[in-house]
Amino acid sequence: MLQPKRTKFRKQFKGRIHGVAKGGTSLNFGSFGLKAMEPERVTARQIEAARRAITRHMRRAGRVWILIFPDVPVSKKPTEVRMGKGKGSPEFWVSKVKPGRIMFEIDGVSPDVAREALALGASKLPMKSRFVFRPGEQS
């Protein structure tokens, strides 16, 4: 699973996901992509599940690019622990995704296979997303 090799700080504040994506809103590598429509935190496990679903449907043909990286630690206190005594230990890693962000790109497959593969990948993610393509690629 994806996670940073090292970070400057061990724990982070929760924060909020405001506004729309500033960059990463257009296709850069592949011909087809999956674009986020809602703000959400996507965990490393969800990214990996989506990647597996996409590559399995493509039968290892073509190429997949993952354009989001889980670099935000989420801490959690153990169950049945009383209030106080500090913040919990980091449990998993998430990527904060804003609306408009391209999360996955694929290339080297037909438009029908691409649409179906990204639909399977989108079902593994916690937000609404849209299939996007380069002009002239889709009929």
Side-chain angles (χ1 to χ4, degrees):
M1 269 187 305
L2 297 170
Q3 75 178 52
K5 287 189 177 71
R6 55 186 298 276
T7 57
K8 189 169 183 181
F9 299 105
R10 221 163 62 85
K11 299 173 185 176
Q12 268 189 39
F13 290 138
K14 187 175 283 185
R16 295 288 175 263
I17 306 172
H18 295 294
V20 294
K22 193 169 65 174
T25 57
S26 58
L27 294 171
N28 289 325
F29 304 103
S31 303
F32 310 100
L34 191 64
K35 181 182 268 201
M37 293 287 111
E38 298 174 337
E40 193 67 61
R41 296 193 317 184
V42 183
T43 68
R45 285 178 178 273
Q46 289 165 342
I47 294 169
E48 178 62 15
R51 184 197 66 79
R52 282 186 183 176
I54 291 166
T55 52
R56 286 232 174 96
H57 186 76
M58 289 167 49
R59 298 199 176 136
R60 298 204 336 239
R63 174 104 195 262
V64 179
W65 289 269
I66 304 170
L67 303 176
I68 53 175
F69 186 79
D71 57 349
V72 178
V74 176
S75 63
K76 190 168 178 282
K77 288 176 83 77
T79 54
E80 299 180 16
V81 171
R82 292 183 179 187
M83 293 278 98
K85 302 277 191 284
K87 191 170 178 171
S89 58
E91 288 292 310
F92 55 94
W93 295 86
V94 299
S95 174
K96 290 181 180 176
V97 178
K98 291 183 174 184
R101 176 81 185 186
I102 303 271
M103 299 176 287
F104 295 91
E105 288 187 28
I106 60 177
D107 202 2
V109 291
S110 70
D112 297 333
V113 172
R115 185 178 289 276
E116 186 64 29
L118 289 173
L120 288 169
S123 68
K124 307 292 183 194
L125 299 173
M127 80 274 262
K128 287 181 185 168
S129 53
R130 177 179 289 164
F131 176 77
V132 293
F133 53 89
R134 285 189 198 279
E137 290 287 335
Q138 189 78 352
S139 55

